[in-house]
Amino acid sequence: MIQRFKKIDLVAAVGVLAVFVGLPMVVSSSYLIGVLTVAAIYGLWAVSWDFMSGLTGRENFGHSLFIGVGAYAAGFLNTHLGLGPWWGLPAGMAVAVVFSLIMGFPTLRLKGPYFALAMLSGAVIMQRLMLIFWEHTGGEEGIQGIAPLMDNPLHFYWFVVAVLAATTALLTWVAHSNWGLILRAIRGDEATCMAAGINVTFYKIASLAISAAFAGLGGALYAHYQLQVSPQLFAVVTSVTIITMVYVGGMTTIYGAVGGALLLTLMTELLRDFGEWRLMVYSVVLILILFFLPKGLVAPAWQWLRARLSGGRTDTPPPDAAAADKLKGRVSA
């Protein structure tokens, strides 16, 4: 049954990827390419958040910190140091990882909601620093005149989709490996993991660094797409939007976060015709989804459809406590 699920997942993933690669060629529209590009970047931010916060249960309310520093790193290298735009991608990842280590070491040892609040404070402080040091950061206007990564918007869109697909595949593989089992076990019973001799702090910090790396990569891509960055990237609303996308898609599934990002981004564009009622309709739809579908919409819907296609039952991921028991059994053995 598991092998059948894997085959169905692979066929579906290839099919969805083919649709998003070929859609701009069927419907020739620069506006559509722009919307899909932004949706793919948001998808990259969403999967990076879900990998750490979804699997470990330590919700990061300041994910915009990594996005912002990645974008500013790319913009600074290009406009101030004159380096080519391709240097901004690894630079954005590296700077985001450094900030994750600076924030992670003192905060991931905290219990309760303090990690989330600490990360939120970090993003707010960084946004303020971008305004204070306006001589170097451009202040409220940010950094302007960033060079595009590619001259052809369609080629850039394909590149972003490829990055998103590769990132989703990689993080999904890690989430289903022993590493992912440990992260789920930490979410379920951290004390049991510590008693089993697992360095819980290391796994949480390492997963935060991986999450930050891909968030920084998405920030650098966003900078070279918008050709400018501003302190607004650090805003709380950026983190809240990403978290909402993950919840709508389905937490801990990784691929659900991509679906949530695409769904909400496209829904935002489709609601433009509602004018001043747009925000109200958007909010009502979100409330209905989160209230009646607490496990999300995209991932549960796909699990149900996959079960119908395979003729079996849905395979829900193991509960957190079960993951801890399974890990404890492996350690005991």
Side-chain angles (χ1 to χ4, degrees):
M1 181 65 68
I2 295 178
Q3 292 298 326
R4 185 182 300 176
F5 279 155
K6 289 182 178 179
K7 291 181 180 179
I8 295 176
D9 286 340
L10 180 60
V11 172
V14 173
V16 172
L17 182 60
V19 169
F20 280 95
V21 169
L23 186 60
M25 293 186 292
V26 177
V27 183
S28 180
S29 169
S30 58
Y31 175 75
L32 176 63
I33 294 174
V35 172
L36 292 178
T37 301
V38 172
I41 294 175
Y42 267 101
L44 186 59
W45 293 340
V47 296
S48 64
W49 187 91
D50 193 28
F51 176 76
M52 190 275 167
S53 298
L55 294 182
T56 65
R58 306 302 300 272
E59 294 187 342
N60 177 8
F61 285 179
H63 201 57
S64 59
L65 170 66
F66 307 135
I67 295 171
V69 297
Y72 267 89
F76 190 86
L77 286 180
N78 182 241
T79 59
H80 288 67
L81 300 183
L83 296 180
W86 288 99
W87 286 101
L89 303 188
M93 297 179 71
V95 172
V97 169
V98 170
F99 272 81
S100 72
L101 297 178
I102 294 173
M103 297 295 298
F105 273 108
T107 60
L108 280 172
R109 294 178 172 85
L110 301 175
K111 302 295 183 181
Y114 297 108
F115 167 71
L117 295 176
M119 294 302 301
L120 177 62
S121 301
V124 173
I125 291 172
M126 186 57 64
Q127 183 180 21
R128 185 61 183 171
L129 289 176
M130 294 299 103
L131 298 176
I132 294 175
F133 297 100
W134 59 270
E135 299 94 339
H136 307 288
T137 64
E140 293 184 357
E141 295 183 0
I143 300 177
Q144 307 288 331
I146 301 174
L149 202 64
M150 299 178 182
D151 294 330
N152 191 320
L154 181 58
H155 293 169
F156 180 78
Y157 163 71
W158 283 336
F159 176 72
V160 174
V161 170
V163 171
L164 174 60
T167 302
T168 304
L170 174 62
L171 296 185
T172 301
W173 175 76
V174 175
H176 287 84
S177 66
N178 287 335
W179 186 293
L181 178 65
I182 292 174
L183 296 183
R184 286 190 173 91
I186 291 173
R187 178 188 179 110
D189 193 340
E190 187 171 328
T192 299
C193 295
M194 295 177 66
I198 297 173
N199 191 338
V200 172
T201 302
F202 164 77
Y203 279 97
K204 290 191 293 186
I205 292 177
S207 61
L208 179 64
I210 295 173
S211 172
F214 289 107
L217 174 61
L221 289 172
Y222 188 80
H224 287 292
Y225 173 68
Q226 296 288 353
L227 308 184
Q228 62 89 29
V229 293
S230 68
Q232 191 62 27
L233 276 176
F234 294 99
V236 177
V237 66
T238 304
S239 297
V240 172
T241 300
I242 294 168
I243 295 172
T244 303
M245 290 175 173
V246 176
Y247 271 92
V248 170
M251 285 186 64
T252 75
T253 60
I254 307 299
Y255 68 86
V258 179
L262 295 174
L263 177 63
L264 293 188
T265 304
L266 294 176
M267 186 174 72
T268 301
E269 297 302 321
L270 293 175
L271 291 177
R272 288 189 180 276
D273 293 337
F274 285 83
E276 60 184 11
W277 295 94
R278 170 188 171 193
L279 182 59
M280 179 177 293
V281 175
Y282 181 83
S283 301
V284 170
V285 172
L286 279 184
I287 291 173
L288 292 176
I289 292 175
L290 297 176
F291 183 80
F292 291 103
L293 299 170
K295 293 184 178 180
L297 173 62
V298 178
W302 168 244
Q303 290 168 2
W304 178 87
L305 178 60
R306 181 177 56 185
R308 302 285 79 79
L309 294 174
S310 63
R313 297 184 303 175
T314 57
D315 68 321
T316 56
D320 303 326
D325 293 339
K326 184 177 180 181
L327 182 63
K328 185 178 180 181
R330 288 188 181 183
V331 174
S332 299

